[in-house]
Amino acid sequence: LIVKVAPAASLMVALAGLGFTYLGIGQIIACFEVGHLGLLPLGVALVTFFGEVRSSPLPAAVMVMVVGSLTGWLSFEGWPEGSPFPSGGTAEAVKESFSHFSFYFPSVLGPDSFKV
């Protein structure tokens, strides 16, 4: 009876609200799991998005990604047990990752790249 009376868009609002809440709560929980690493980018996001702080020439989202990446890599805490990258986050892994930092020219992909 409700489906016949109410427009379809109004019924989808509750579903969309639940989806956005689930996505937001998941990120907040991830930030609280490793508080000293997750709360700094969260704070930068809140200040730049809602505090009207200018981060030009970079967009605010790029600023949050840079701060989050730097705090994660510079903490040298490593990854959780059972991770597919067991040596990540250590000082040796950071040094090894900078050895790959260079300019790479684009290359044409061969036909083998498109095989299923």
Side-chain angles (χ1 to χ4, degrees):
L1 178 69
I2 293 176
V3 176
K4 292 180 182 179
V5 176
S10 66
L11 297 175
M12 297 294 172
V13 169
L15 186 62
L18 286 172
F20 282 127
T21 302
Y22 177 74
L23 291 174
I25 293 295
Q27 287 299 317
I28 295 293
I29 289 172
C31 286
F32 282 130
E33 283 178 357
V34 187
H36 62 286
L37 299 179
L39 289 178
L40 181 62
L42 178 66
V44 170
L46 291 175
V47 167
T48 55
F49 291 143
F50 301 116
E52 297 180 11
V53 174
R54 301 275 181 225
S55 62
S56 57
L58 293 175
V62 173
M63 192 77 156
V64 171
M65 287 188 292
V66 167
V67 168
S69 297
L70 285 176
T71 55
W73 275 104
L74 296 178
S75 68
F76 301 128
E77 290 199 8
W79 302 114
E81 196 66 36
S83 172
F85 307 104
S87 64
T90 61
E92 294 84 26
V94 172
K95 187 161 71 168
E96 197 266 330
S97 69
F98 279 113
S99 69
H100 299 291
F101 189 73
S102 179
F103 180 77
Y104 295 99
F105 288 104
S107 62
V108 178
L109 295 175
D112 294 336
S113 301
F114 298 104
K115 287 185 180 177
V116 177

